Amino acid sequence: MSDLLRRLGGVALLVVALALPLVLDDFWLQTGLFVMAAAIGAVGLTLLVGVAGQLSLGHAAFAAIGAYVYAWSTGETTTSVTGGGLPPVLGLALAALVAAGVGAAFSPVAGRLRGIYLGLATLGLVFVVRHLLLNLTDWTGGFTGRSVESFALGGFSFSNRDPDYLAVGGVEFEGLHRLWYLFLLLAVVACWLAGNLRASRTGRAWANVRDSETAAAAMGIGVARAKAAAFVVSSAYAGTAGAMLALAYGRVAPDVFSLTASVDFLVMIVLGGLGSVAGAVVGALFVTALPLVLAEYSSALPFLAAPGSGGLDPSTASRIVYGLAIIAVLVLLRGGLAGAGRRLRHRLGGGGPSGDAGTTDPDTPGPGPTGRTAPASGTTDPSTPDGSHPAAVTHPRSKETTR
Amino acid sequence: MSYFLTQVLNGLSYGLVLSLIAAGFAIVFTSTGVLNFAHGSIVLLGAYLVAVLHPTIGFWPAMLVALFGAALVGVLINALLVRNLADPEPGAAAILMLGVDIVLLTELTRRIGNQVLPVGAPWGASVVRFGDIALPTGRVVAAGVTVVAFAALWYLFSRTDLGVGMRAAAADGPTASLMGIRLSRTAATGWALAGVLAAVAGVFLTSFPSPGVAPTIALSAFAAIPAWVLGGFDSVPGAVVGGLLIGLTSALVTGYEGDLEHVLGAGFGEVAPYVVMIVVLLVRPSGLMGSKEAVRV
């Protein structure tokens, strides 16, 4: 029953998303593009951090690699920068592949470290990649960056030209409208793949590695390999997201992919609820759209001052709001927004067990031999209808047992 | 030769300041298991308090207020937020600290604005000369204070009940708790110590040769993360070694940038600490002096 409702809800959302370009103006379309690009990056990161349990602060580095690979491979050689002149589709695929390749190259580190140790090592990646972006000026254009060729598929360009005029239902479809559908397709495919991956053998192996490496190894999971694989997949997602950001901006520059961007990706998945694909999308919507919307409508909000006047300007306000949002979600909501939503559904639907099954993982094979996962089994109900949510939240340890 | 020596001394004295910050990371990590991403903001907070208060109440009283303020903020963060995490585990705590950092840093940045506030240190912009080597007095004072601070830390951790209790709590929390050590107290002490060290480091980071308090200070505190990781996550002596190594590396790379630029690119000095960190993590995942994790799979 609840499964049917979820599907109907998904279809309804998709129909709305398909129809939105007919009514939205350019600002909202642009915002939507950024949100969808960020959502793909966030979904990739939630697979790594939420499902596989590896903290990464280097997501922006992989997004940067994707963005620049796309920009370089599809760009033409000019007086200032070189370019590959490849077809955009190939460029997009290369962006994901090269980012995944770099992720694989980093896997000797990723396979050996865990948790916050890995987070710190990946912190280094952001700075190293930024340094390369600034210095390999022939390829990247240095500090000012380089412009990005618009996407095209078989003579149909996702820009304002080629065809010059295209209208659907009386609304002229310009570059933003066309990109909207491309991004929507990519986002839906990415979420669908991520959901399936998480529920698959591989995803459950990752969750097992997250919960206890010793137990996972005892069950025959190659721990280093599983961790490296999670890193590679997440990097590919980041690369795709980077290429999409490049398309949405029409330009790439090193400052887009700073440490702040990495932190933003983390914030998205934490707000949404670690390990939840839908949560990652909601988190991306919140984090990406909030500063843009506050800036756009700052004149209508009385408590905001104009930028530079010393008062509370929109970008400061949005940063404080989302800093507070992170704190509030982590302190008040177990499992982020996704966890809260799941509990709400249980309460409303009444079909589920009253226990807080959302934070346990019904699909994970029983208690590990170390006994570390044992307390979780007490709150797990095998009849949980929520079986589509393996690996929902970071740890199976329940609040009651740790206090 | 004297240029080289100047760079080395500069690097070592800067490294000692970094090691103060790195020790703060290590103490918070050992006492509560939290990766304190807000540490940079607390460094900035300490420096900011001194910069704002010194014109009215003088430098030393301002310094005292800053030490208390930074320690208090640390203790409050721990008591109000970290201990109340909905999912108490290291990753969530680290991300919580990112949230705290965003709020603190944004608010301090808004207050500071585009100004560069002088901290009004009594040693001003004077320079100490050893033969033909010149070193800012602030750096010499910093080195002295740091050495004293680490001596005090050593005394605390090896000779006092409180310090031994903190080490016991870090080694095995539940057992220490059964032995009558109050974990809430050792945790609060750890956060307070880290805050004090951060405030001291903040003043040295913002006095001459640095122009004054600006929001970028919080980012240079980030350079202490490689120092901490390098030394080992749970080792205070490791933080000193890591700080010195990172200080030397960045001073030498920056000092000889002209010769290195065509190989490594401009601005490599900022990246060098992170490169060193990644290499060390590859070879020794628990740092130079950190305790090895028991489980290897």
Side-chain angles (χ1 to χ4, degrees):
Chain A
M1 177 62 192
S2 75
D3 206 39
L4 183 68
L5 276 179
R6 279 163 52 87
R7 286 203 182 165
L8 281 178
V11 170
L13 270 181
L14 195 61
V15 170
V16 170
L18 282 170
L20 274 177
L22 296 173
V23 292
L24 293 183
D25 61 14
D26 281 1
F27 164 76
W28 285 102
L29 282 174
Q30 186 84 43
T31 305
L33 294 184
F34 288 135
V35 168
M36 286 189 271
I40 291 191
V43 167
L45 190 62
T46 210
L47 286 177
L48 182 68
V49 180
V51 177
Q54 304 190 68
L55 186 61
S56 169
L57 282 165
H59 215 54
F62 295 105
I65 290 166
Y68 276 90
V69 165
Y70 179 82
W72 180 85
S73 60
T74 61
E76 301 296 332
T77 302
T78 64
T79 48
S80 54
V81 288
T82 59
L86 297 172
V89 184
L90 213 56
L92 194 59
L94 267 181
L97 280 178
V98 173
V102 176
F106 196 68
S107 65
V109 178
R112 295 184 67 168
L113 302 171
R114 77 180 72 142
I116 61 167
Y117 305 88
L118 181 64
L120 292 169
T122 50
L123 178 71
L125 265 187
V126 178
F127 288 91
V128 171
V129 166
R130 184 185 158 81
H131 180 71
L132 292 177
L133 295 184
L134 288 175
N135 281 285
L136 300 174
T137 45
D138 281 352
W139 292 334
T140 64
F143 182 73
T144 50
R146 62 182 293 168
S147 63
V148 176
E149 291 288 315
S150 53
F151 198 77
L153 196 60
F156 179 84
S157 168
F158 289 77
S159 66
N160 294 345
R161 297 170 288 107
D162 287 334
D164 280 334
Y165 185 76
L166 174 72
V168 176
V171 178
E172 186 182 354
F173 268 33
E174 294 181 323
L176 292 175
H177 300 75
R178 302 176 196 177
L179 272 179
W180 177 282
Y181 290 104
L182 175 70
F183 279 27
L184 191 62
L185 175 72
L186 287 171
V188 168
V189 169
C191 290
W192 178 72
L193 280 178
N196 279 357
L197 182 64
R198 201 186 55 174
S200 73
R201 187 182 168 83
T202 313
R204 290 202 300 270
W206 291 356
N208 209 344
V209 168
R210 172 200 66 202
D211 291 341
S212 166
E213 292 191 3
T214 320
M219 283 180 221
I221 297 167
V223 171
R225 208 189 125 133
K227 285 158 101 176
F231 215 83
V232 169
V233 170
S234 146
S235 306
Y237 270 87
T240 312
M244 289 164 70
L245 276 177
L247 280 170
Y249 276 112
R251 190 165 184 86
V252 283
D255 278 352
V256 178
F257 305 102
S258 60
L259 182 62
T260 319
S262 272
V263 172
D264 286 351
F265 277 124
L266 265 180
V267 172
M268 292 171 200
I269 64 171
V270 171
L271 289 182
L274 285 175
S276 158
V277 172
V281 175
V282 175
L285 175 69
F286 179 78
V287 170
T288 315
L290 179 71
L292 296 173
V293 171
L294 276 182
E296 178 77 4
Y297 294 100
S298 62
S299 55
L301 298 170
F303 59 92
L304 292 180
S309 67
L312 196 62
D313 62 85
S315 69
T316 305
S318 63
R319 281 200 75 72
I320 288 189
V321 165
Y322 94 66
L324 290 176
I326 302 168
I327 297 172
V329 166
L330 281 169
V331 172
L332 302 176
L333 288 182
R334 293 180 73 193
L337 295 174
R342 213 170 299 137
R343 284 195 293 277
L344 194 67
R345 270 205 305 279
H346 278 305
R347 205 163 298 160
L348 293 182
S354 55
D356 192 5
T359 53
T360 59
D361 183 353
D363 281 0
T364 302
T370 59
R372 268 186 62 196
T373 54
S377 61
T379 54
T380 306
D381 187 331
S383 69
T384 307
D386 211 14
S388 58
H389 283 279
V393 186
T394 50
H395 261 251
R397 269 183 293 164
S398 68
K399 200 171 182 174
E400 294 72 34
T401 55
T402 48
R403 291 253 165 123
Chain B
M1 191 60 202
S2 75
Y3 180 74
F4 174 74
L5 273 180
T6 311
Q7 296 306 320
V8 168
L9 284 180
N10 254 319
L12 289 179
S13 58
Y14 175 62
L16 280 172
V17 178
L18 280 187
S19 65
L20 281 178
I21 306 175
F25 276 110
I27 292 174
V28 165
F29 183 70
T30 47
S31 59
T32 47
V34 174
L35 168 49
N36 186 4
F37 276 119
H39 205 52
S41 306
I42 297 182
V43 170
L44 179 63
L45 173 74
Y48 173 77
L49 284 176
V50 174
V52 171
L53 294 175
H54 83 87
T56 44
I57 61 174
F59 176 76
W60 295 110
M63 186 77 219
L64 211 60
V65 174
L67 294 183
F68 272 110
L72 185 69
V73 168
V75 171
L76 286 180
I77 289 172
N78 180 49
L80 298 181
L81 302 178
V82 176
R83 285 168 66 84
N84 288 316
L85 269 178
D87 302 299
E89 53 102 23
I95 297 167
L96 172 76
M97 295 320 292
L98 283 173
V100 174
D101 185 57
I102 289 171
V103 174
L104 268 179
L105 188 58
T106 310
E107 178 57 19
L108 286 171
T109 307
R110 185 179 75 82
R111 284 168 179 273
I112 296 169
N114 293 327
Q115 330 162 45
V116 177
L117 308 168
V119 283
W123 48 86
S126 58
V127 170
V128 179
R129 292 191 181 280
F130 308 97
D132 50 358
I133 300 165
L135 206 59
T137 314
R139 287 286 172 82
V140 179
V141 177
V145 168
T146 309
V147 170
V148 171
F150 279 112
L153 279 182
W154 171 83
Y155 183 81
L156 173 76
F157 282 124
S158 59
R159 292 287 185 276
T160 65
D161 285 349
L162 183 65
V164 174
M166 287 179 71
R167 276 166 54 210
D172 188 343
T175 309
S177 184
L178 289 172
M179 298 301 200
I181 290 164
R182 283 199 189 170
L183 296 188
S184 59
R185 191 172 289 175
T186 56
T189 315
W191 278 85
L193 271 180
V196 167
L197 294 177
V200 174
V203 170
F204 288 128
L205 275 182
T206 49
S207 57
F208 184 78
S210 152
V213 181
T216 46
I217 293 301
L219 203 63
S220 45
F222 251 83
I225 290 188
W228 168 48
V229 176
L230 204 56
F233 294 93
D234 52 1
S235 161
V236 173
V240 182
V241 173
L244 290 176
L245 272 177
I246 294 295
L248 259 186
T249 312
S250 40
L252 289 179
V253 173
T254 312
Y256 289 92
E257 180 150 17
D259 304 322
L260 296 170
E261 189 167 336
H262 54 279
V263 191
L264 299 171
F268 192 72
E270 287 173 31
V271 195
Y274 298 96
V275 175
V276 174
M277 175 179 78
I278 293 179
V279 172
V280 168
L281 279 176
L282 253 182
V283 184
R284 286 182 67 96
S286 49
L288 295 174
M289 299 173 78
S291 51
K292 285 213 167 60
E293 282 186 79
V295 183
R296 280 268 170 269
V297 274

